[in-house]
Amino acid sequence: MRFSFVRSEVANGLRRNFTMTVALIVSVAVSLALVGAALLMRAQVDRMKGYWYDKIEVSIFLCGKTSVAFTCTGTVTAEQRANIETVLGSLAPTVQEIFYESSQDAYGKFQEQFAGSAILANISPDALPESFRVKLDDPANFEKVATALQSVQGVESIQDQRQLLDRFFQILKGLQSFAIAIAAAMLFVTVLLVMNTIRVSAFARRRETSIMRSVGASNISIRLPFILEAVVASVIGSMLATAGILATKYWVIDARLAPNLTFIPFITWSQVLAIVPVIFLAGVGITVLASSITLRRYLRG
Amino acid sequence: MISFDNVTKHYKNTSMPALAEIDLNIEQGDFVFLVGASGSGKSTLLRLLLREETATSGTVTVDGVNVAKIRHRDVPAYRRNMGIVFQDFRLLPGKTVFENVAFGMEVIGKHKSEIARKVPALLELVGLEEKSHRLPSELSGGEQQRVAMARAFVNQPKLLLADEPTGNLDPATSVGIMKLLDRINRIGTTVIMATHDVATVDQMRKRIVQMEDGKIVRDQERGMYGQSGQAL
């Protein structure tokens, strides 16, 4: 089977089947773009988790003047504070680092965060509780710390920052599942489109294929032009999907989101580029599979 | 060269077998007419030879090879030893005469230089060297069938199967096609031709195998179509 002959057969097939080919390209592009989006979202969540979990602390707020928790009897005493620190110290290696933040420190941070805001005037240092900030070896070990401290005198409340983040990650995960569901549906449509395109194509060229069979052309050389037709369409579709994803990274993430949301670590170019081969493999793999199965049915040797 | 040994072919969902316990021997260089009404089993016999179908029971042997035992991927190579011509010519309307014949060589991977050398020779054999750049639509039915025969002959097959090759042609044109088949037969090619064409059969005076309801009812050297079938 000579290359130039296969090439002209494929070009002819694509031209004759123009509308189907366009439909196939668009369908492949949309479904793969969605697959890519789902993969990017996963990479984004992983990256944010890695970044934020590293910074996560457990805050142990101590009793203030107005605290009502049953472990509180007015402002925490120096003795109680020392006891809490001892309990925390005994929790090593789960507890890795312990910082003490006084009401005055908290007020300083608050001033920094809300500089220029009217809210500052209403807040005095004693309205902000003093606290221990604790770094854990693994954020998942929060329960250990909570159980050890929840009934210790002088502790007003224990806050796990991870819980705040996890709610946010849950939303992202939901979005990701949604994208995967749509991508799966689109891929299914793409498979059907490939099958239909191949069937129409095989029917339009039944005379050619019957001649090929009768002169003893090998099965692969009879089927190759059809499969290559689908592959050409899927490669073009994959390129469009890739272009869409790269454009999203360049124009949406890098140009718009990243400068405005500096506290979020966005996916890097290398993470985006790692998705490209997956898109091409998925696109070409699915079309080759779908067209081979169809040809087996419609071009019996 | 070809032998059918007690061959029966039963298609799915039919009560009558298409071929019933057929025994037939054809030697290299024979010219055989396969005659009989539609549905008598002629086409099934050709399909078994082409290995488009395999026998339900019995064995079909071609050149010492049990056709049913050929592996699926070896079927194309097997078919290169035979040429086939159809009633409807099966030319590609968008390709010229030359390209139509060349197509048969291209799809089995023949080199351009070989195609350029061989196709004109084949067109000369069928008497169409002058029309190699015409499209099939510009040719008469007889000429189109000649192109199809040139294409069937690209591999220099030892066996040529013809399924009603004159079915769409007028008698005068048919004579030309038969002369060509005769010429191909004289250079040693075995020719098996399924036909309804009484005039052609009578004129050629070749071996006749007559079929009825899947059975061979007459096998006669130098026969005439009109002679009623006698028991063998």
Side-chain angles (χ1 to χ4, degrees):
Chain A
M1 188 112 260
R2 288 191 343 268
F3 173 71
S4 61
F5 176 71
V6 175
R7 194 182 49 194
S8 76
E9 281 292 294
V10 170
N12 272 332
L14 288 174
R15 211 175 309 123
R16 244 188 295 192
N17 238 345
F18 183 71
T19 49
M20 283 292 238
T21 307
V22 171
L24 190 56
I25 288 173
V26 172
S27 164
V28 168
V30 172
S31 51
L32 289 181
L34 280 164
V35 170
L39 289 174
L40 282 183
M41 232 184 277
R42 198 179 64 185
Q44 176 68 38
V45 168
D46 283 349
R47 182 157 163 74
M48 287 196 291
K49 269 188 183 161
Y51 179 81
W52 279 337
Y53 276 8
D54 225 37
K55 296 191 166 20
I56 276 179
E57 298 168 339
V58 172
S59 307
I60 297 128
F61 293 105
L62 307 183
C63 301
K65 254 195 312 217
T66 55
S67 299
V68 292
F70 73 96
T71 48
C72 288
T73 49
T75 310
V76 64
T77 63
E79 199 183 324
Q80 286 172 336
R81 194 186 299 128
N83 179 42
I84 294 167
E85 197 161 359
T86 317
V87 173
L88 284 173
S90 72
L91 286 170
T94 304
V95 169
Q96 301 226 297
E97 287 169 68
I98 306 166
F99 310 95
Y100 171 71
E101 192 180 88
S102 69
S103 294
Q104 201 59 51
D105 293 339
Y107 186 65
K109 273 195 190 166
F110 192 81
Q111 275 181 313
E112 235 173 70
Q113 234 170 346
F114 292 92
S117 164
I119 206 168
L120 265 182
N122 299 323
I123 296 286
S124 65
D126 31 321
L128 297 169
E130 52 190 296
S131 62
F132 282 107
R133 298 294 163 104
V134 168
K135 213 158 178 41
L136 304 183
D137 58 342
D138 178 354
N141 284 333
F142 169 75
E143 281 306 319
K144 265 191 202 170
V145 180
T147 343
L149 285 171
Q150 61 195 354
S151 54
V152 173
Q153 288 291 316
V155 174
E156 191 197 9
S157 64
I158 306 162
Q159 191 190 54
D160 183 8
Q161 292 181 337
R162 199 170 73 122
Q163 277 185 340
L164 302 175
L165 280 180
D166 278 354
R167 210 162 301 154
F168 175 65
F169 286 140
Q170 220 112 66
I171 295 173
L172 286 183
K173 261 209 180 124
L175 281 176
Q176 195 187 329
S177 315
F178 185 65
I180 288 173
I182 296 183
M186 281 302 301
L187 284 177
F188 180 65
V189 170
T190 307
V191 166
L192 294 185
L193 251 175
V194 170
M195 288 181 150
N196 213 28
T197 308
I198 294 291
R199 208 179 51 159
V200 169
S201 199
F203 185 76
R205 275 189 276 166
R206 61 195 183 285
R207 190 180 282 231
E208 273 96 332
T209 51
S210 87
I211 293 165
M212 287 165 115
R213 267 211 307 277
S214 69
V215 297
S218 61
N219 282 325
I220 183 73
S221 60
I222 293 174
R223 290 171 194 193
L224 197 63
F226 292 97
I227 294 176
L228 285 182
E229 249 176 79
V231 166
V232 167
S234 72
V235 165
I236 295 175
S238 306
M239 288 199 287
L240 290 176
T242 303
I245 281 165
L246 296 185
T248 306
K249 167 69 178 155
Y250 187 81
W251 276 296
V252 180
I253 295 180
D254 283 1
R256 301 259 167 164
L257 297 178
N260 294 322
L261 304 168
T262 47
F263 57 92
I264 296 178
F266 283 103
I267 37 172
T268 60
W269 275 105
S270 63
Q271 281 177 304
V272 173
L273 293 177
I275 287 170
V276 173
V278 177
I279 288 178
F280 274 85
L281 277 180
V284 173
I286 281 176
T287 44
V288 167
L289 208 67
S291 54
S292 306
I293 291 168
T294 317
L295 287 172
R296 200 167 288 250
R297 257 175 57 197
Y298 289 96
L299 293 181
R300 289 200 317 119
Chain B
M1 180 202 193
I2 297 170
S3 83
F4 284 72
D5 187 11
N6 201 23
V7 172
T8 298
K9 175 65 187 174
H10 226 119
Y11 288 108
K12 272 181 207 158
N13 308 321
T14 53
S15 53
M16 294 277 290
L19 290 179
E21 295 167 6
I22 293 278
D23 287 301
L24 179 65
N25 275 296
I26 295 170
E27 296 306 320
Q28 176 67 47
D30 276 3
F31 192 120
V32 180
F33 282 117
L34 218 48
V35 302
S38 300
S40 60
K42 308 191 296 287
S43 296
T44 299
L45 206 146
L46 293 182
R47 290 164 70 84
L48 288 177
L49 283 174
L50 276 167
R51 206 195 183 276
E52 283 185 5
E53 299 286 348
T54 48
T56 313
S57 66
T59 44
V60 180
T61 315
V62 176
D63 260 345
V65 176
N66 182 344
V67 175
K69 291 252 169 76
I70 299 173
R71 276 173 304 182
H72 195 68
R73 63 188 152 101
D74 293 330
V75 170
Y78 165 74
R79 288 196 186 134
R80 287 181 200 188
N81 293 322
M82 50 186 67
I84 177 147
V85 180
F86 306 93
Q87 180 173 6
D88 59 0
F89 319 140
R90 300 214 186 153
L91 300 181
L92 302 174
K95 293 187 191 290
T96 64
V97 167
F98 184 95
E99 289 163 347
N100 262 288
V101 178
F103 182 81
M105 299 179 74
E106 276 165 340
V107 297
I108 55 172
K110 291 289 189 278
H111 202 268
K112 260 204 162 75
S113 60
E114 190 184 349
I115 293 173
R117 186 160 42 82
K118 228 167 168 187
V119 174
L122 285 164
L123 288 176
E124 201 183 321
L125 172 77
V126 300
L128 282 176
E129 65 272 30
E130 306 281 307
K131 300 199 168 174
S132 73
H133 295 294
R134 300 285 188 85
L135 289 171
S137 56
E138 300 170 312
L139 303 180
S140 70
E143 287 169 333
Q144 288 186 46
Q145 192 59 294
R146 285 164 187 269
V147 178
M149 288 172 73
R151 185 182 60 201
F153 219 65
V154 290
N155 295 325
Q156 260 115 26
K158 283 191 285 186
L159 171 63
L160 188 71
L161 304 177
D163 195 359
E164 311 261 4
T166 57
N168 282 353
L169 304 175
D170 61 66
T173 315
S174 298
V175 171
I177 294 295
M178 292 317 298
K179 276 189 180 150
L180 185 53
L181 278 174
D182 194 37
R183 180 141 34 112
I184 287 170
N185 176 238
R186 279 176 203 282
I187 58 178
T189 314
T190 311
V191 177
I192 302 178
M193 172 170 160
T195 186
H196 282 125
D197 193 339
V198 177
T200 301
V201 173
D202 289 351
Q203 183 182 43
M204 295 288 287
R205 288 292 189 136
K206 298 284 189 186
R207 179 178 171 191
I208 291 181
V209 172
Q210 186 171 357
M211 303 192 66
E212 233 176 78
D213 297 332
K215 292 194 178 67
I216 293 174
V217 293
R218 174 163 65 127
D219 188 346
Q220 185 178 24
E221 292 297 331
R222 307 182 64 78
M224 303 272 282
Y225 201 120
Q227 289 169 351
S228 62
Q230 292 153 7
L232 291 169

